[in-house]
Amino acid sequence: MAFSSWISRLRSSSSKFRCYFTHKQAAALIRADAEVFGSEHVRKSRASTVAARSLIPWAIAASTATLAFQSYQEAGPSLCEAPNHDRKTKFRNHGMGGKDSTQYLVKSLSRPVPQELLEEIKTICKDNMTMDYDERYFHGKPQNSFHLAVNIPDIVVFPRNTEEVSKIVASCNKHKVPIVPYGGATSIEGHTLSPSGGVCIDMTQMKQVISLNVKDMDVVVEPGIGWMELNEYLEPYGLFFPLDPGPGATIGGMCATRCSGSLAVRYGTMRENVINLKAVLANGEVVKTGSRARKSAAGYDLTRLMIGSEGTLGVITEVTLRLQKIPKCSVVAMCNFPTIKDAADVAIATMLSGIQVSRVELLDEVQVRAINFANGKNLPEVPTLMFEFIGTEAYSREQTLIVQKIASEHNGSDFVFTEEPEAKKELWKIRKEALWACFAMAPNFEAMTTYCRMYAFLYHGLRK
C-alpha cells in the first residue's frame, strides 16, 4: 500500500481525551484480595510478600519508622469521607469478586484531622492550601481509575519549596495524619487515592529548572515540571529528556512510579535516566541520594530505591536528570501482520539483529478497531507494529530497510515509513490515544490497567 494512502487515512479529526492521576497502597490490596476472593491463603501470601519487600526500605530509612498510618485504626468518621458516596457501588462485569460484587478495592478507617494540624499547615502554607470539597474530590477521585476509594483527602496543600514540604510532612508525622504526594494527574493505576483521607501534597507549584549543565548533559529540576515543558526548554540547546509517558506527566510523578514510555527500548526507564534526587522522608528529614557524578559506587543506591516507591518512602522535591542529544534524523515505520505471533517474531528478530531501535510498539486488531472508531480512521484492523529508527540520515534509512526485509520474512505486509515531521507526529498520535480510543468504543466498560499495560477487562468486553 502506498504511504500516501496511509497518511490520508490518518488525517482526520481526532477526539481529545483527558485523564486523571490515581494511587494504590499495599495494605489496601491485602484487604481487598481477602475480601474479594474470600481466601485466608490470599491474605497470608500477600501479607508475607509485602512484608518481605518492605525489609530493605525499613532497614535503610529507619528514621521514618514513625509513619503516620498506625494510629488510624482507632478512628471514627472524617470529613474526608465523600458525603454522597453510594456504598452499594458495584464493579460491573469485571469479575472482581464475581458479577454484581459490592466489595471495595480500596477502603480504610479514618478520623478527623486535628485542629492543631490545621493551624500549623495554615502557618506553613498561608493561602496555598484548600479544604474546598470540589478540589479535594478532584484530587481523591480520579475519573479513569479502575480502583475505587471511599474517602478523599481532608486537605490539599500546594508547597512552593523543599522547606515547606519538610515542615508539612513533619507536622503530619507528629499528628499521625497520612500524606499522599500528587503530581500531574495522568496516572490511571490508583497511585494517589486517599483511602485514609489525610493531606494531599500537590507538587505542581514546584516547577522550576534549577540548573542546566549543557556540557555534562544533565539538568536539575523541581518535581512539578512536566516532561513536555522540560523538552521545550531544552530544545534550543539541542538536548532532550528521552522518556515520553502520557501528556501532562510531571517529573516527580514519573520518578515515583518509575515510568517508561515508548522510548524505553532505546533509553531505558526512569531508573536509568535519574542521576540523583532530593526527598523528604516521613519524619520531615531532607535527604539527597547522591552527587552529579556519573560514576560512583559509594554506599547504598538510594536513588534507585526511591524511584518507583510511589510516595511510600518519601516526597521527591528535586531531581537531577540525564539528557540526550536530539537525533539528527528519525524514520517512523508501520507494518501489518496476520497474527500477533508474526509481529512478535519480527520485534524479536529486529532486536537480535543488533539494530538500535528507538521505539517499537504493538497494536492488536482490537486496538486498531478502537482507533478507527474513535478517530474516524480507516486503518487495516490487523496486528500492527510501529517502529522508530534514529541516527544520521543514511543510518536511519539503512535500519529501516533491514527491518523491512525482516518483516517480509515473517508474513509482514504494507510496510510503510516516513521522515516528514508532521506525518511522524500523526502516526505516533494514534498510539498515544490508544486507551482513550478504547473508552470511546466501549463507553459502558472500565479499564483495569496492569503493569504490562494490557487493558484486560476492557478488551474482554470488546472481544465479545
Side-chain angles (χ1 to χ4, degrees):
M1 180 186 297
F3 179 74
S4 58
S5 65
W6 278 76
I7 293 301
S8 65
R9 289 173 175 174
L10 293 170
R11 297 195 186 284
S12 55
S13 59
S14 299
S15 304
K16 293 184 179 179
F17 303 95
R18 294 181 299 173
C19 63
Y20 298 93
F21 197 111
T22 66
H23 182 43
K24 141 184 97 177
Q25 293 185 358
L29 287 176
I30 297 172
R31 291 192 296 273
D33 281 353
E35 292 173 358
V36 169
F37 298 108
S39 168
E40 185 66 23
H41 171 73
V42 169
R43 187 182 295 109
K44 289 180 179 178
S45 62
R46 176 78 77 170
S48 62
T49 302
V50 171
R53 288 180 177 176
S54 61
L55 287 178
I56 294 177
W58 279 110
I60 295 176
S63 62
T64 69
T66 56
L67 285 172
F69 302 106
Q70 43 197 349
S71 66
Y72 262 62
Q73 303 306 316
E74 41 191 67
S78 165
L79 62 88
C80 67
E81 191 165 312
N84 297 321
H85 188 86
D86 180 5
R87 292 185 178 275
K88 293 186 178 180
T89 300
K90 300 175 181 180
F91 290 117
R92 299 182 303 277
N93 299 328
H94 298 315
M96 183 64 72
K99 186 176 180 181
D100 297 332
S101 169
T102 58
Q103 301 294 335
Y104 291 103
L105 188 61
V106 182
K107 63 180 179 178
S108 179
L109 298 176
S110 56
R111 64 181 176 86
V113 170
Q115 185 63 33
E116 294 86 350
L117 175 61
L118 291 177
E119 296 300 325
E120 291 175 13
I121 289 181
K122 287 179 181 178
T123 301
I124 298 167
C125 298
K126 297 182 174 58
D127 294 332
N128 294 317
M129 62 167 288
T130 182
M131 296 179 67
D132 176 73
Y133 175 77
D134 290 338
E135 193 71 36
R136 294 187 294 114
Y137 190 94
F138 174 81
H139 283 76
K141 297 282 185 177
Q143 179 179 345
N144 291 315
S145 172
F146 177 82
H147 306 281
L148 303 178
V150 176
N151 298 321
I152 60 177
D154 294 287
I155 311 169
V156 180
V157 297
F158 303 88
R160 293 160 292 183
N161 51 57
T162 299
E163 182 182 2
E164 287 188 3
V165 176
S166 176
K167 290 178 179 178
I168 293 168
V169 173
S171 185
C172 290
N173 179 57
K174 181 174 68 175
H175 294 284
K176 308 303 179 189
V177 172
I179 59 174
V180 178
Y182 185 94
T186 62
S187 170
I188 54 176
E189 296 167 321
H191 293 111
T192 57
L193 295 177
S194 300
S196 298
V199 177
C200 175
I201 304 179
D202 189 317
M203 306 296 289
T204 54
Q205 297 300 307
M206 297 176 62
K207 52 185 178 181
Q208 300 298 315
V209 175
I210 298 173
S211 66
L212 171 62
N213 308 289
V214 176
K215 293 182 178 180
D216 293 329
M217 295 178 64
D218 66 48
V219 65
V220 183
V221 299
E222 291 182 324
I225 189 171
W227 68 272
M228 298 178 72
E229 291 76 16
L230 177 60
N231 278 337
E232 288 178 6
Y233 175 86
L234 295 171
E235 187 175 7
Y237 301 95
L239 301 172
F240 81 112
F241 182 62
L243 272 69
D244 62 337
T250 60
I251 297 299
M254 291 163 66
C255 289
T257 58
R258 200 176 67 229
C259 83
S260 52
S262 60
L263 287 167
V265 67
R266 175 66 178 265
Y267 297 105
T269 68
M270 206 68 181
R271 286 175 63 102
E272 290 75 40
N273 289 279
V274 175
I275 298 174
N276 68 66
L277 51 80
K278 184 183 291 184
V280 177
L281 302 182
N283 61 354
E285 181 182 354
V286 180
V287 298
K288 191 166 184 178
T289 61
S291 68
R292 287 178 48 236
R294 296 297 183 100
K295 188 175 180 180
S296 175
Y300 295 110
D301 191 351
L302 299 181
T303 303
R304 305 297 176 269
L305 179 64
M306 282 287 183
I307 295 173
S309 62
E310 300 185 357
T312 59
L313 298 181
V315 182
I316 297 170
T317 60
E318 185 180 298
V319 187
T320 302
L321 300 170
R322 180 175 286 109
L323 304 178
Q324 302 289 338
K325 286 289 293 181
I326 297 176
K328 291 182 179 180
C329 178
S330 67
V331 177
V332 174
M334 293 181 69
C335 186
N336 300 330
F337 297 90
T339 67
I340 292 288
K341 183 181 184 305
D342 289 324
D345 287 343
V346 168
I348 294 170
T350 299
M351 301 302 292
L352 291 177
S353 71
I355 292 177
Q356 294 185 339
V357 181
S358 176
R359 308 189 217 208
V360 55
E361 296 279 318
L362 170 66
L363 304 175
D364 72 2
E365 68 278 9
V366 181
Q367 183 64 75
V368 177
R369 189 189 315 153
I371 290 169
N372 286 340
F373 177 86
N375 300 292
K377 302 186 188 302
N378 189 32
L379 299 175
E381 294 180 0
V382 294
T384 303
L385 274 182
M386 301 179 66
F387 293 95
E388 183 177 66
F389 311 100
I390 62 173
T392 63
E393 185 176 342
Y395 182 63
S396 299
R397 289 179 179 176
E398 181 186 9
Q399 292 180 100
T400 303
L401 295 176
I402 293 173
V403 173
Q404 183 177 21
K405 183 176 183 298
I406 294 173
S408 66
E409 295 171 353
H410 292 81
N411 303 315
S413 62
D414 298 332
F415 189 97
V416 294
F417 60 91
T418 181
E419 298 177 33
E420 298 176 12
E422 291 303 316
K424 290 187 291 186
K425 288 181 181 178
E426 195 73 43
L427 286 170
W428 282 116
K429 185 179 180 181
I430 66 174
R431 167 61 184 89
K432 289 292 184 181
E433 293 183 351
L435 175 59
W436 319 118
C438 286
F439 279 131
M441 184 175 179
N444 295 324
F445 285 82
E446 296 177 24
M448 184 177 183
T449 310
T450 69
Y451 285 106
C452 60
R453 295 299 194 274
M454 293 298 292
Y455 310 115
F457 282 76
L458 183 58
Y459 272 23
H460 176 70
L462 292 176
R463 289 184 186 276
K464 286 184 176 180

